Amino acid sequence: MFPSSTLVLLVTALTSIWAQDLYEERKSNKKSRVKLQAANIHDGQAILDEDCSLELSFLLDSSESAKDNHEQEKQFTMNVVDRLQGARLQTGRSLSFRVALLQYSSHVITEQTFRDWKGTENFKTRISPIIYIGHGTYTTYAITNMTRIYLEESSPGSIKVAVLLTDGISHPRNPDIFSAVADAKNQGIKFFSLGITRTAKEPANVAQLRLLASSPASRFLHNLQDEDIVEKIVTEITGLADEGCPLAQRCACEKGERGPSGPAVSI
């Protein structure tokens, strides 16, 4: 049996160790909470540092009626891509993008897919020398080919945008264009319709272009001859990226209620 003085010392020592353990546990929990809060801030910054992914496709009207506008169509696409290079969104995120381009007439030529993307300068080198086809306007084939590229090459979670440039008049034998557009939109692709001539602003042509464009038409329906058209399209595209790549909400943790006191130790 322990002497009473030894027992008192033992209990005192155990009490001291228990108190120290409790202190260290509380200290550790406090550090953990601080680390968690710091991690939330870090995670918020990490999300900020992640690029917003955009996959952008252009469909160029290369029909006989587009002959006088074909060079302007090409220049427009290169200017848009130039302006997107190094773009930073309102959230502070950078924009990472890939571009595909198809031109269409009686048949479709895929000039570049997303997998071919090697940067802005390479894109311009590939697109600048292409020549127009010069036959009938089969817009539906361009849309179905473009949709297939998204299905086969698109990255999960990317912002998907298509810019359709057209004179607004398809060949009488062109298959159902609205079904093709509906299928593309069901894949999450946002559609800009750009009439390439003043003629495309005639009521009948505008009505068709409006049906092709995503809603609202005020945002997605434009004309290549409009003033500052490049800036308008770039603004709308970056706006879509801002909406599609929001910053994650940081953790706003509430302080929990104080727990019950531990059992008293009597000596």
Side-chain angles (χ1 to χ4, degrees), residues 148-194:
R148 186 171 65 251
I149 291 174
Y150 278 103
L151 288 172
E152 294 176 353
E153 302 184 11
S154 184
S155 303
S158 66
I159 309 301
K160 302 172 179 61
V161 178
V163 181
L164 171 65
L165 294 103
T166 175
D167 60 7
I169 304 171
S170 294
H171 192 279
R173 294 183 180 177
N174 183 60
D176 183 6
I177 190 171
F178 300 111
S179 175
V181 168
D183 184 49
K185 291 176 180 177
N186 287 337
Q187 304 302 324
I189 302 170
K190 295 293 186 180
F191 245 85
F192 285 93
S193 290
L194 264 72

Side-chain angles (χ1 to χ4, degrees), residues 20-74:
Q20 182 66 26
D21 287 344
L22 181 61
Y23 171 77
E24 292 295 335
E25 182 180 357
R26 289 177 175 175
K27 186 177 178 182
S28 176
N29 288 340
K30 184 177 181 181
K31 285 183 177 179
S32 296
R33 287 195 297 271
V34 172
K35 286 182 178 179
L36 179 60
Q37 185 177 13
N40 287 333
I41 294 173
H42 173 74
D43 287 344
Q45 185 61 44
I47 290 171
L48 180 64
D49 289 342
E50 290 177 2
D51 291 346
C52 179
S53 176
L54 167 71
E55 286 164 333
L56 173 64
S57 62
F58 292 96
L59 288 73
L60 273 58
D61 191 335
S62 193
S63 63
E64 186 175 5
S65 58
K67 178 180 179 180
D68 295 335
N69 303 97
H70 193 254
E71 287 300 318
Q72 187 183 11
E73 291 181 79
K74 292 193 297 180

Side-chain angles (χ1 to χ4, degrees), residues 24-130:
E24 292 295 335
E25 182 180 357
R26 289 177 175 175
K27 186 177 178 182
S28 176
N29 288 340
K30 184 177 181 181
K31 285 183 177 179
S32 296
R33 287 195 297 271
V34 172
K35 286 182 178 179
L36 179 60
Q37 185 177 13
N40 287 333
I41 294 173
H42 173 74
D43 287 344
Q45 185 61 44
I47 290 171
L48 180 64
D49 289 342
E50 290 177 2
D51 291 346
C52 179
S53 176
L54 167 71
E55 286 164 333
L56 173 64
S57 62
F58 292 96
L59 288 73
L60 273 58
D61 191 335
S62 193
S63 63
E64 186 175 5
S65 58
K67 178 180 179 180
D68 295 335
N69 303 97
H70 193 254
E71 287 300 318
Q72 187 183 11
E73 291 181 79
K74 292 193 297 180
Q75 191 60 54
F76 165 79
T77 63
M78 291 187 285
N79 289 345
V80 169
V81 172
D82 257 338
R83 285 284 290 106
L84 289 174
Q85 183 71 30
R88 200 160 187 89
L89 306 182
Q90 290 183 3
T91 57
R93 278 183 167 185
S94 295
L95 187 65
S96 174
F97 62 91
R98 299 189 297 169
V99 180
L101 185 141
L102 302 83
Q103 60 169 337
Y104 66 95
S105 179
S106 55
H107 60 283
V108 179
I109 300 177
T110 301
E111 302 291 352
Q112 174 162 316
T113 71
F114 297 131
R115 289 175 184 159
D116 297 327
W117 176 253
K118 293 181 176 64
T120 302
E121 293 307 314
N122 178 267
F123 172 77
K124 291 191 292 185
T125 299
R126 292 179 64 131
I127 300 309
S128 182
I130 66 174

